C-alpha cells in the first residue's frame, strides 16, 4: 500500500510574499503588538523566510533520494539501522515545533542505499506541517516502496511544543510512534532485534 503523499509545490501557489507578510502583520496587531515598532518592523519578512525553511519538504519528493542504490554488497542481508536521526517539524494543528529523533531500519534485498539518504528522507517528510503518526508512516513506507526490502521500520520519539507550551503544559512529556512493514511486522524475533538495536522495547527510546 502506497500511503506517501505526492509532491506539492506549495510555494508556487497564487499567494505572494507580500500577502504572507501582511498576514503576519495582522497577527501581530491581533495579539496586541505594533508591527511598525523597531523590534517588529522586519518580523514579517523574517517569519515568511523562516516558514519557507520550516516547510521546505513540500518542494521535494523525499522518495527521490532513495533512487541511487549500491548492489556490490557481497550478499549482505542483515538488518540496516540508522539510529537517533534528529529532526524538527511543525505541528499542523497549532504550528508549534515537534522536535525529536527517528530510528529507521530495513532488511535489504540485493542492494543498499547510502545512510545519508535515510536521514534525508526523515528531513524531507519532517519539514512539512505534520502529525507524528503520519510522519512515522511516511518514512517507513518510503523506504519500503522504493527499496523493496524484506521489511522496513521507523520509530519516532518526539517532544511536542503544542503540549509543552500551551494547553495542558506538560513539560518533559515525549511521544513514541512506530510503523513496521514486512518481516518487522510479521516476525517477532526481527521486531525484537530492531527494538534492541535502538535500545528500546518499542517505547522510551529518547536519550539512549
Amino acid at each position: 500500500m502506497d500511503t506517501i503523499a505526492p509532491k506539492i509545490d506549495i510555494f508556487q501557489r497564487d499567494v505572494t510574499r507580500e500577502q504572507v507578510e501582511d498576514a503576519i502583520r495582522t497577527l501581530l496587531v491581533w495579539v496586541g503588538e505594533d508591527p511598525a515598532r523597531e523590534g517588529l518592523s522586519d518580523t514579517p519578512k523574517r517569519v515568511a523566510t523562516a516558514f519557507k525553511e520550516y516547510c521546505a519538504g513540500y518542494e521535494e519528493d523525499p522518495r527521490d533520494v532513495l533512487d541511487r542504490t549500491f548492489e556490490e554488497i557481497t550478499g549482505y542481508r542483515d538488518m540496516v539501522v540508522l539510529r537517533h536521526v534528529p529532526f524538527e517539524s511543525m505541528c499542523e494543528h497549532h504550528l508549534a515545533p515537534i522536535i525529536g529523533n527517528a530510528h529507521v531500519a530495513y532488511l535489504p534485498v540485493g542492494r543498499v542505499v547510502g545512510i545519508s539518504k535515510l536521514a534525508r528522507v526523515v528531513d524531507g517528510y519532517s519539514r512539512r506541517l505534520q502529525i507524528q503518526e503520519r510522519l512515522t508512516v511516511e518514512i517507513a513506507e518510503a523506504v519500503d516502496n522504493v527499496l523493496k526490502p524484506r521489511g522496513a521500520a521507523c520509530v519516532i520519539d518526539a517532544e511536542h511544543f503544542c503540549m509543552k507550551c500551551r494547553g495542558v503544559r506538560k513539560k518533559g512529556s515525549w511521544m513514541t510512534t512506530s510503523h513496521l512493514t514486512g518481516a518487522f511486522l510479521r516476525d517477532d524475533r526481527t521486531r525484537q532485534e530492531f527494538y534492541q538495536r535502538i535500545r528500546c522495547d518499542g517505547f522510551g527510546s529518547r536519550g539512549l
Side-chain angles (χ1 to χ4, degrees):
M1 178 179 64
D2 190 342
T3 62
I4 307 302
K7 177 180 177 181
I8 303 173
D9 293 325
I10 190 170
F11 300 114
Q12 304 302 317
R13 294 177 179 174
D14 294 330
V15 178
T16 67
R17 176 67 179 246
E18 290 73 20
Q19 289 173 315
V20 173
E21 294 179 12
D22 285 343
I24 296 165
R25 291 188 188 94
T26 299
L27 177 61
L28 292 173
V29 172
W30 184 70
V31 300
E33 266 292 357
D34 175 11
R37 72 176 176 86
E38 182 180 11
L40 292 174
S41 61
D42 287 332
T43 295
K45 294 179 181 179
R46 296 190 188 102
V47 174
T49 298
F51 263 82
K52 190 168 185 180
E53 182 176 347
Y54 298 153
C55 297
Y58 287 113
E59 298 184 309
E60 61 186 24
D61 186 339
R63 294 174 296 183
D64 291 344
V65 303
L66 297 172
D67 283 341
R68 183 180 179 184
T69 58
F70 303 95
E71 297 182 359
E72 295 181 2
I73 60 175
T74 319
Y76 185 86
R77 290 175 55 84
D78 200 1
M79 193 179 300
V80 175
V81 184
L82 184 63
R83 302 185 302 154
H84 304 294
V85 181
F87 73 88
E88 301 85 31
S89 190
M90 295 285 286
C91 165
E92 68 179 31
H93 299 146
H94 300 97
L95 301 186
I98 302 171
I99 297 177
N101 291 283
H103 312 278
V104 185
Y106 68 100
L107 292 161
V109 177
R111 58 178 180 153
V112 297
V113 70
I115 58 173
S116 67
K117 304 303 188 294
L118 297 177
R120 289 182 183 277
V121 170
V122 174
D123 285 347
Y125 285 115
S126 64
R127 291 177 181 172
R128 300 179 178 192
L129 301 183
Q130 278 288 9
I131 61 170
Q132 185 174 327
E133 296 89 340
R134 182 174 65 234
L135 176 61
T136 309
V137 171
E138 288 178 331
I139 293 169
E141 290 288 339
V143 174
D144 192 56
N145 292 335
V146 178
L147 298 184
K148 306 297 184 185
R150 286 180 287 133
C154 179
V155 168
I156 290 180
D157 200 27
E159 186 175 25
H160 293 243
F161 280 62
C162 59
M163 181 175 175
K164 176 180 179 179
C165 301
R166 58 160 301 281
V168 295
R169 297 179 183 271
K170 297 299 182 183
K171 297 181 180 180
S173 296
W174 287 63
M175 178 176 171
T176 300
T177 50
S178 63
H179 185 73
L180 312 173
T181 74
F184 290 96
L185 185 62
R186 295 189 304 267
D187 185 68
D188 183 65
R189 292 180 61 182
T190 299
R191 182 167 57 254
Q192 291 305 316
E193 179 183 350
F194 168 58
Y195 288 147
Q196 289 171 6
R197 289 198 184 192
I198 64 174
R199 298 185 182 180
C200 71
D201 59 0
F203 298 94
S205 59
R206 176 171 60 94
L208 297 177

